[in-house]
């Protein structure tokens, strides 16, 4: 967990730059319309902790999900500063460009230059239960009223299809993205196999990846898995994030720079037992039917005669002892504050504070935590000239409460001076209104809810408009889909907005 914003989330603030805006946003509705750079192959994720200091906004970035096995993706990349670019199709110039480090995947090709920050944070792990078999012996009543002994049958739910084989996950730990790489977040909450699990079914030299993903607005209860594989894996043509209410994906056999096989659940269910936040839940998946998929144009379809895997049941618990949901009543014990740890502010940890006021120098109790001597409601951060207390704000609030001349945003939910945001752009337009002063500004909303200036039809008649940041893809109504802002060197993509592809 890195707390020095000057080197990670807010690069080189002393030089007067926070998030630098690229020269142009999406020139047409989707990546294939820009025609400058073509990338083909399996999209991958930076799970090793090696990140470039690049903050981006857009549906596609240099740090994308390894379950996002897309076809041809054409993007326009414009970079105005080494650290930061902003565009809905920024930095997707990868052609199966992954390598493995400790069993994980790392994007090795990006379109920007700049400093490299290496994080080696280890997340907490939690234990899952593997395959659970439930059987009972039933009797058969005869015409004479006697009962004959019946065969053993499965009463735990749907029966495994004959062509499926059990996925041997017994004893394998599952953890959340934040636990694996602290201060990071995907566009949707996800549970995953750890870096130490190099292979589930095949050669131990290969790396297999199992993921449970769900919408950021999920609630406690039972949720059927979305049977459409194209909702689970973005194609970067008309979908840029996972839009399933709940899904399971599995990849196996990383060969060279790409996974050889990808599987998506076409049946099953997710049950959430308990929730501290959308990223800190206790639950299980069961009766999961994973079918091998292949790209046909922009769409995934089942492989004829392909492999099928079955998960009878797998339980996980990724709640953290001090976890909380920010900006909720009674989120933490008295004399503690629920500090947001993802950019959209939907996941948090309870921290202690002190007496230091906003703008005063401060000290972190632990460099790997957010407890400090700042008053509760303030975050101790390094703006480039040493740590000082900054006011925390809610980017999902209609009244974030930032003082005049400051704006709520910046990846760490802080009220930041306009002059620090000028390179990324600040427009005074409120949500829903045209961005006139700076049509490509990353920050807008005035004194109200923060948003992002975006031209939904590129060269069309619509003006660039201030669109609100959102916490979950389910907030977008068809034909719109969600794009994301990639904060913290691209490892935090929790900040979404809706646009028409």
């Amino acid at each position: 967990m890195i707390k020095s914003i000057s080197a990670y989330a807010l690069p080189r603030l002393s030089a007067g730059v926070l998030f630098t805006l690229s020269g142009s946003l999406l020139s047409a509705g989707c990546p294939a319309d820009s025609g400058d750079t073509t990338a083909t192959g399996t999209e991958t994720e930076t799970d090793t902790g090696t990140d470039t200091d690049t903050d981006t906004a857009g549906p596609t970035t240099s740090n994308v999900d390894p379950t996002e096995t897309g076809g041809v993706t054409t993007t326009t990349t414009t970079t105005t500063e080494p650290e930061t670019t902003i565009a809905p199709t920024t930095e997707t110039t990868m052609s199966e460009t992954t390598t493995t480090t400790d069993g994980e995947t790392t994007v090795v090709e990006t379109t920007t230059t700049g400093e490299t920050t290496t994080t080696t944070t280890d997340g907490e792990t939690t234990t899952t239960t593997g395959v659970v078999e439930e059987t009972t012996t039933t009797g058969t009543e005869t015409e004479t009223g006697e009962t004959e002994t019946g065969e053993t049958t499965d009463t735990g739910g749907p029966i495994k299809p004959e062509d499926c084989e059990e996925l041997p996950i017994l004893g394998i730990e599952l953890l959340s993205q934040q636990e694996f790489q602290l201060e990071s977040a995907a566009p949707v909450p996800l549970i995953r196999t750890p870096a130490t699990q190099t292979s589930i079914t095949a050669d131990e030299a290969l790396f297999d990846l199992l993921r449970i993903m769900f919408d950021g607005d999920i609630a406690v209860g039972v949720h059927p898995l979305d049977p459409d594989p194209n909702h689970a894996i973005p194609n970067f043509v008309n979908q840029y994030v996972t839009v399933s209410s709940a899904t399971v994906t599995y990849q196996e056999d990383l060969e060279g720079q790409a996974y050889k096989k990808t599987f998506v659940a076409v049946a099953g269910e997710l049950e959430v037992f308990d929730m501290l936040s959308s990223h800190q839940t206790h639950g299980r998946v069961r009766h999961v039917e994973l079918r091998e998929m292949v790209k046909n144009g922009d769409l995934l379809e089942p492989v004829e005669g392909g492999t099928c895997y079955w998960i009878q049941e797998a339980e996980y618990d990724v709640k953290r002892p001090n976890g909380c949901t920010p900006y909720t009543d009674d989120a933490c014990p008295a004399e503690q504050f629920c500090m947001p740890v993802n950019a959209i502010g939907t996941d948090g940890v309870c921290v202690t504070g002190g007496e230091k006021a906003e703008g005063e120098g401060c000290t972190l109790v632990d460099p790997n935590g957010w407890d400090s001597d700042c008053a509760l409601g303030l975050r101790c951060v390094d703006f480039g000239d040493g740590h000082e207390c900054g006011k925390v704000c809610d980017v999902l609030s209609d009244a974030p409460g930032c003082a005049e001349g400051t704006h709520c945003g910046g990846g760490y939910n802080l009220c930041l001076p306009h002059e620090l945001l000028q390179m990324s752009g600040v427009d005074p337009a409120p949500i829903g209104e045209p961005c006139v002063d700076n049509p490509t500004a990353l920050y807008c909303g005035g004194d109200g809810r923060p948003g992002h200036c975006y031209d939904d039809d590129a060269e069309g008649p619509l003006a660039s408009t201030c669109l609100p940041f959102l916490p979950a893809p389910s907030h977008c109504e068809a034909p719109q889909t969600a794009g994301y802002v990639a904060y913290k060197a691209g490892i935090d993509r929790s900040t979404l907005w809706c646009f028409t592809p």
Side-chain angles (χ1 to χ4, degrees):
M1 184 186 301
I2 292 183
K3 295 296 172 291
S4 177
I5 290 186
S6 63
Y8 195 47
L10 312 180
R12 290 212 287 267
L13 290 184
S14 59
V17 56
L18 190 65
F19 300 110
T20 306
L21 189 65
S22 71
S24 62
L25 291 178
L26 191 58
S27 60
C30 61
D33 292 329
S34 58
D36 286 354
T37 308
T38 301
T40 308
T42 302
E43 311 296 347
T44 58
E45 171 195 14
T46 56
D47 280 339
T48 61
T50 301
D51 305 302
T52 56
D53 280 340
T54 305
D55 296 298
T56 65
T60 57
T61 73
S62 63
N63 298 289
V64 290
D65 199 308
T67 60
E68 295 164 1
T69 51
V72 175
T73 303
T74 306
T75 66
T76 299
T77 302
T78 306
T79 306
T80 58
E81 283 287 333
E83 270 98 13
T84 314
T85 57
I86 306 298
T89 52
T90 300
E91 294 187 58
T92 308
T93 56
M94 292 166 286
S95 179
E96 300 180 349
T97 57
T98 65
T99 184
T100 57
T101 303
D102 295 331
E104 291 293 338
T105 56
T106 304
V107 176
V108 297
E109 179 182 344
T110 63
T111 60
T112 63
T113 60
E115 301 173 3
T116 299
T117 301
T118 301
T119 62
T120 56
T121 56
D122 295 324
E124 302 173 28
T125 60
T126 58
T127 303
T128 70
T129 60
V131 176
V132 176
E133 298 289 346
E134 295 183 37
T135 60
T136 186
T137 301
T138 60
T140 303
E141 187 173 343
T142 66
E143 291 183 0
T144 61
E146 298 178 356
T147 300
E148 298 178 352
T149 302
E151 295 182 355
T152 299
T153 59
D154 184 352
T155 61
I159 299 174
K160 175 172 69 69
E162 292 183 359
D163 66 331
C164 291
E165 58 182 286
E166 291 278 0
L167 190 66
I169 60 172
L170 183 64
I172 293 178
E173 297 170 325
L174 297 178
L175 45 83
S176 73
Q177 178 74 7
Q178 276 86 331
E179 286 176 308
F180 177 76
Q181 191 175 52
L182 298 177
E183 299 303 310
S184 69
V188 298
L190 65 90
I191 314 300
R192 52 159 297 148
T193 47
T196 54
Q197 186 65 39
T198 56
S199 179
I200 294 176
T201 64
D203 190 331
E204 288 298 324
L206 302 175
F207 174 65
D208 301 339
L209 178 63
L210 175 71
R211 287 190 152 187
I212 304 166
M213 296 180 286
F214 42 90
D215 189 78
D217 276 348
I218 203 166
V220 170
V222 177
H223 308 273
L225 299 183
D226 188 338
D228 189 339
N230 293 289
H231 292 170
I233 298 178
N235 59 17
F236 300 104
V237 175
N238 56 8
Q239 182 187 322
Y240 300 89
V241 301
T242 299
V243 296
S244 298
S245 57
T247 188
V248 177
T249 62
Y250 172 65
Q251 286 179 284
E252 68 177 10
D253 298 352
L254 185 66
E255 185 177 83
Q257 297 178 337
Y259 286 101
K260 294 172 64 176
K261 292 184 178 181
T262 295
F263 302 80
V264 180
V266 297
E269 65 182 21
L270 166 69
E271 182 176 9
V272 179
F273 306 136
D274 190 19
M275 177 181 296
L276 286 176
S277 76
S278 58
H279 291 271
Q280 299 185 65
T281 61
H282 175 204
R284 65 182 174 186
V285 291
R286 55 192 172 207
H287 314 139
V288 180
E289 182 182 345
L290 288 159
R291 291 285 174 180
E292 186 177 356
M293 298 290 165
V294 66
K295 273 283 187 179
N296 183 3
D298 296 329
L299 300 177
L300 285 170
E301 60 183 27
V303 174
E304 185 176 355
T307 302
C308 174
Y309 288 118
W310 175 262
I311 300 174
Q312 180 69 16
E313 184 172 303
E315 186 172 342
Y316 70 89
D317 188 345
V318 295
K319 302 189 312 298
R320 300 192 287 278
N322 59 341
C324 58
T325 298
Y327 319 114
T328 58
D329 294 335
D330 302 320
C332 295
E335 305 305 321
Q336 292 188 22
F337 173 71
C338 186
M339 184 71 73
V341 295
N342 64 341
I344 198 64
T346 55
D347 187 37
V349 293
C350 294
V351 302
T352 59
E355 301 296 329
K356 297 290 185 65
E358 183 178 0
E360 287 190 63
C362 57
T363 303
L364 291 166
V365 174
D366 184 330
N368 293 316
W370 286 113
D371 300 87
S372 74
D373 54 0
C374 292
L376 294 181
L378 304 179
R379 190 193 299 272
C380 184
V381 293
D382 184 356
F383 286 97
D385 297 318
H387 285 75
E388 64 180 61
C389 299
K391 183 178 180 180
V392 174
C393 58
D394 184 0
V395 297
L396 297 177
S397 172
D398 291 334
C402 292
E404 185 177 356
T406 66
H407 186 84
C408 182
Y412 272 118
N413 325 93
L414 293 170
C415 293
L416 297 167
H418 284 180
E419 56 267 23
L420 294 180
L421 304 174
Q422 285 303 323
M423 293 299 292
S424 297
V426 181
D427 192 279
I431 293 295
E433 296 298 321
C435 294
V436 177
D437 293 356
N438 190 343
T440 58
L442 175 58
Y443 302 104
C444 62
D447 295 332
R449 180 166 177 164
H452 167 51
C453 292
Y454 184 70
D455 187 349
D456 209 21
D457 66 345
E459 301 301 323
L462 297 179
S464 177
T465 303
C466 184
L467 303 177
F469 293 135
L470 301 169
S474 58
H475 286 238
C476 301
E477 299 181 1
Q480 289 197 320
T481 189
Y484 58 80
V485 181
Y487 286 119
K488 304 172 188 175
I491 65 171
D492 191 329
R493 296 171 284 147
S494 62
T495 304
L496 308 177
W497 84 93
C498 299
F499 70 101
T500 304

